[in-house]
Amino acid sequence: MRPLHRRAAAAAAALAALVSVSACGSSGSHDGKDTAGGPYTPAPAASSQGPQAGAGPSPSPSVKEPVLPDSRLTPVTGSFSKKDKKYLSGRVPQNMDPSAVLQTGQESCQRVARTAAHDKDAAVGAVIAGDIPDAKAAITLLCPDQKPVLDAADAGFPDGTRKNPRAGTYRALTAAADCTWRVTGSGGKLLASGPGTGAKGKVRARIPAGAAEFTSSGCYAWVPA
């Protein structure tokens, strides 16, 4: 099984490479247009705990960490738009340049847009797995044109263990050969597992009603089929 930090690093590196190749040095455009490179293929995911999906890691300070008041959210030169200020509100630690925090959000928007232009599933999977920093807030406040990606991510969940999963059929957002899954019920009884020997193409998993846990490895992320 591939360690989590190696999986995340690989996926992040792939995303960064896509941005660099497709529009090196560009900023402020989130129309998703890109003419360079092929589709981004996410790295197989390592097992992780927890059912959270879609939000990704956030650069925002914790509740206890002092943040700049909105009245001090000003760049060194120029000015922030109302949209920029809304994104920055409550997100900028003291002694940090607000422009640096805004840039993180803008870069996340660019990654989502350029990845989705090649392969929407790859963009959705990256948001679910948390490989695009602060993607939920960035899309909601800075690039709402990418909301279809966020909506799809909100319906999915990452690789790992999910307790009391919702019944239904799901598909893995990777074609990796080492993607495996299992569903257990009360007392750890095995209810289903897959894929079967010799399975090819996209992996699908059927979670029956009343399942206690759904566990997957190497599958990156899951969305309803």
Side-chain angles (χ1 to χ4, degrees):
M1 186 181 300
R2 191 179 301 180
L4 178 58
H5 70 278
R6 291 180 59 192
R7 187 269 302 163
L15 282 168
L18 177 60
V19 172
S20 176
V21 171
S22 59
C24 180
S26 66
S27 64
S29 175
H30 311 307
D31 57 7
K33 294 179 180 179
D34 193 353
T35 58
Y40 158 64
T41 303
S47 177
S48 60
Q49 300 296 320
Q52 291 81 9
S58 171
S60 305
S62 65
V63 175
K64 295 181 180 179
E65 185 176 353
V67 297
L68 286 177
D70 289 357
S71 61
R72 292 179 57 192
L73 294 176
T74 55
V76 176
T77 60
S79 61
F80 290 132
S81 67
K82 289 183 178 180
K83 179 177 65 174
D84 295 341
K85 288 183 177 180
K86 189 173 182 180
Y87 174 76
L88 292 171
S89 180
R91 310 179 70 80
V92 184
Q94 289 186 359
N95 302 318
M96 178 175 285
D97 182 2
S99 297
V101 177
L102 178 61
Q103 183 178 0
T104 296
Q106 292 171 334
E107 289 174 350
S108 292
C109 281
Q110 292 170 1
R111 290 181 177 187
V112 172
R114 294 190 175 101
T115 303
H118 289 298
D119 184 344
K120 183 179 177 181
D121 273 359
V124 170
V127 171
I128 293 174
D131 291 330
I132 297 180
D134 209 26
K136 186 170 186 176
I139 292 172
T140 301
L141 299 173
L142 296 177
C143 49
D145 55 306
Q146 296 302 318
K147 197 170 184 298
V149 173
L150 181 60
D151 289 343
D154 282 343
F157 52 90
D159 207 24
T161 297
R162 185 174 180 83
K163 296 184 180 297
N164 302 314
R166 180 176 296 181
T169 301
Y170 298 85
R171 61 187 178 91
L173 297 182
T174 181
D178 60 349
C179 170
T180 60
W181 59 272
R182 60 188 175 88
V183 184
T184 55
S186 178
K189 179 181 179 181
L190 182 64
L191 302 179
S193 63
T197 302
K200 296 180 180 180
K202 293 289 185 179
V203 176
R204 290 177 179 250
R206 174 69 182 173
I207 301 177
E213 284 189 353
F214 175 82
T215 301
S216 65
S217 175
C219 303
Y220 196 56
W222 296 87
V223 293

